[in-house]
Amino acid sequence: MTEHRYYAFLRAINTGNRRLTNEQLLAPFRELGFTDVAAYQAAGNVTFRSADPAAVDERRIEAALADSYGFEAPTFVRSAAELASIATSAPFADHELARTAGKIQVTFLRTAAPPERTAAVLELVPPEDRLVVSGREWYWLPIEGVSASTLPVTRIESLLGEMTMRTLGTVTRIHSRFSR
């Protein structure tokens, strides 16, 4: 039976007072029967293989993580094909990238945003930033950087649901390292 690669992006791992070793981070994935389990950085980026797509269920993984870690860890899973598409995306024009000090941020969502919610989110984007919603991700280009932006991320989460964010550079490096 062929095993397929998946990528899990965990929210709020190793932030604040939470500190997990790589072994603590990865143990629940192994206990779920996944193979070739590895982490990228200590920030909740996990990759693994599974021959059973039905076993790769975000809620099942989250329950195992909560049992193991002692706290909730919202989890956003993408297949190898989905991650390849994200890593090679070009959501912003070259002229937009040329005038920015910020890095492209990728936000993982549970489900694709309905059109009316997408429209509401786009109304919240400050004029100096750029934002593109595409499927289960949204891409943000904070022109002056994340900390200088007034984008109301918490309000966007209330419209689109739970999410977690990484730089596109991080996603690209994860894809490059583990796609072989």
Side-chain angles (χ1 to χ4, degrees):
M1 190 176 261
T2 303
E3 288 190 320
H4 298 281
R5 179 160 303 280
Y6 295 91
Y7 300 86
F9 297 92
L10 286 59
R11 180 176 174 169
I13 297 295
N14 288 344
T15 59
N17 293 328
R18 296 179 182 170
R19 294 286 172 234
L20 298 175
T21 65
N22 263 359
E23 184 51 40
Q24 291 169 318
L25 175 67
L26 301 178
F29 289 89
R30 291 184 182 114
E31 291 166 9
L32 286 167
F34 301 135
T35 60
D36 195 19
V37 178
Y40 182 81
Q41 300 177 330
N45 305 307
V46 177
T47 183
F48 58 90
R49 290 185 181 276
S50 177
D52 180 7
V56 184
D57 176 84
E58 290 174 343
R59 298 301 184 182
R60 177 177 174 256
I61 294 169
E62 287 174 343
L65 299 181
D67 286 347
S68 182
Y69 302 162
F71 58 84
E72 299 295 316
T75 304
F76 305 83
V77 176
R78 299 299 187 264
S79 69
E82 289 171 319
L83 196 75
S85 178
I86 296 164
T88 59
S89 66
F92 303 103
D94 289 343
H95 72 275
E96 291 174 305
L97 296 171
R99 63 188 243 342
T100 181
K103 297 178 182 179
I104 297 173
Q105 307 294 312
V106 179
T107 303
F108 298 93
L109 304 169
R110 293 212 185 272
T111 60
E116 66 277 1
R117 298 270 173 117
T118 298
V121 166
L122 293 175
E123 289 178 14
L124 299 172
V125 180
E128 65 276 5
D129 287 355
R130 302 293 174 264
L131 193 135
V132 172
V133 180
S134 177
R136 293 190 303 155
E137 289 77 38
W138 55 272
Y139 301 86
W140 171 31
L141 181 59
I143 300 299
E144 296 298 325
V146 171
S147 61
S149 177
T150 59
L151 184 74
V153 175
T154 304
R155 175 78 178 114
I156 292 172
E157 185 169 33
S158 73
L159 290 167
L160 301 182
E162 281 185 308
M163 58 193 194
T164 193
M165 191 178 296
R166 305 291 188 275
T167 67
L168 182 57
T170 295
V171 172
T172 301
R173 287 187 296 277
I174 291 168
H175 175 259
S176 176
R177 181 169 175 188
F178 295 105
S179 66
R180 300 177 202 96

